[in-house]
Amino acid sequence: MKKNDIYKNILLLIGSILITSCVSKKDMVYFQNEEAVQNEVLKNYAPKIQTDDILAIYVSAQDTEAAAPFNLFQAGGQTSANKPITYLVDIHGEITFPILGQLKVEGLTTNALKNYLTGKLESQLKDPVVTIRLENFRITVLGEVKNPGAFNVASERISIPEAIGLAGDLTIQGKRKNVLLIRNNNGTIEKTRLDLTNESLFASPYYYLAQNDILYIEPNRAKVNSSAIGTTSSLISIATAILSLVLILTR
């Protein structure tokens, strides 16, 4: 092979590496469509209670003594004193509530359960007020993000962009057009693919995450390739070394 042909092949190799490492703007920028999106799902979304959820429920009324039997507290040492108990939703979607007994709560929102309990208590308390909080709202973000992990959510609603923000945003190697959402829907694993670069995400029924949802961001082709054969910089260094060696041997 002629010296010029060798040089051309080496340069083509370096050029190919540089080209494949480039990422287009369309693959990187979020929410690129500029059409206004209106969706009642976003306005009215509230998570539904699921099996294994933990609920904090507190009942108050004008007569505090009359309301007391509906509020149980943990027994134990000083750390447990005056700490209200929580209610675990069992495999049947039920909780055992003081005096009222077994209650079916699975599938209800916390607001719907509040209204349901208030109606049940009105026959026993004057002007009852029920406060409910979902204690174990947690989401998980995995894959190509800066800080993958599980995150506890203080409120009962978190959007996909907010969840990604908790994880420190996607790395440059993350696929933005093919994010996988994994959800346990009444015992059935549901998988959905989402495109973060399209503003239609705001109209998606999956825009808000449910408790225990998992977001997985796949690595792009450049990351996969670099994992198999080394980083781009390493390849360029190898190509440069080969070129130097060829120059020495062909003098």
Side-chain angles (χ1 to χ4, degrees):
M1 182 182 293
K2 295 180 180 180
K3 186 187 295 186
N4 289 340
D5 292 336
I6 295 175
Y7 295 159
K8 288 179 181 179
N9 290 334
I10 296 297
L11 291 174
L12 285 173
L13 174 61
I14 295 174
S16 298
I17 292 170
L18 292 173
I19 290 172
T20 54
S21 66
C22 295
V23 180
S24 69
K25 178 181 177 181
K26 289 184 178 181
D27 292 329
M28 295 298 298
V29 178
Y30 298 146
F31 320 130
Q32 294 173 40
N33 298 352
E34 296 183 358
E35 298 178 1
V37 177
Q38 295 182 353
N39 194 328
E40 291 299 315
V41 173
L42 304 188
K43 186 184 301 184
N44 302 318
Y45 176 83
K48 293 183 178 180
I49 297 169
Q50 303 175 1
T51 300
D52 294 328
D53 278 349
I54 298 174
L55 303 174
I57 304 175
Y58 182 77
V59 177
S60 61
Q62 289 185 2
D63 186 343
T64 56
E65 291 186 3
F70 297 97
N71 299 299
L72 301 182
F73 294 86
Q74 296 182 17
Q78 295 181 350
T79 57
S80 299
N82 298 324
K83 186 176 181 180
I85 68 167
T86 54
Y87 300 87
L88 175 67
V89 183
D90 65 22
I91 59 173
H92 304 294
E94 298 177 341
I95 61 172
T96 302
F97 196 74
I99 300 177
L100 300 182
Q102 293 293 114
L103 300 176
K104 182 74 172 182
V105 299
E106 183 181 18
L108 299 176
T109 64
T110 53
N111 191 58
L113 178 57
K114 179 183 73 173
N115 293 335
Y116 174 71
L117 284 175
T118 300
K120 285 275 190 180
L121 294 169
E122 283 177 342
S123 61
Q124 304 185 53
L125 299 173
K126 183 178 181 181
D127 299 327
V129 176
V130 179
T131 304
I132 300 176
R133 181 180 177 84
L134 185 60
E135 292 286 284
N136 64 329
F137 197 118
R138 175 181 294 186
I139 54 95
T140 303
V141 187
L142 301 174
E144 287 297 326
V145 290
K146 294 177 182 177
N147 301 302
F151 302 91
N152 292 320
V153 180
S155 65
E156 293 185 357
R157 191 162 79 169
I158 184 171
S159 67
I160 289 175
E162 288 172 325
I164 290 173
L166 285 178
D169 202 1
L170 276 67
T171 68
I172 195 170
Q173 294 92 1
K175 276 188 179 180
R176 285 150 174 79
K177 292 187 175 183
N178 198 29
V179 173
L180 176 63
L181 170 62
I182 303 172
R183 175 172 296 176
N184 187 337
N185 193 351
N186 295 324
T188 301
I189 299 300
E190 182 179 334
K191 297 179 180 179
T192 304
R193 297 283 178 174
L194 302 165
D195 183 356
L196 300 183
T197 68
N198 196 316
E199 205 170 59
S200 63
L201 176 69
F202 293 108
S204 170
Y206 299 99
Y207 177 73
Y208 283 111
L209 298 176
Q211 59 271 42
N212 303 314
D213 275 0
I214 299 172
L215 281 178
Y216 172 63
I217 290 81
E218 295 182 5
N220 59 22
R221 185 167 55 184
K223 177 62 178 291
V224 173
N225 290 341
S226 68
S227 298
I229 60 177
T231 62
T232 299
S233 59
S234 297
L235 290 174
I236 293 175
S237 298
I238 292 171
T240 303
I242 293 172
L243 178 58
S244 300
L245 181 60
V246 170
L247 289 173
I248 293 172
L249 295 176
T250 56
R251 283 180 180 175

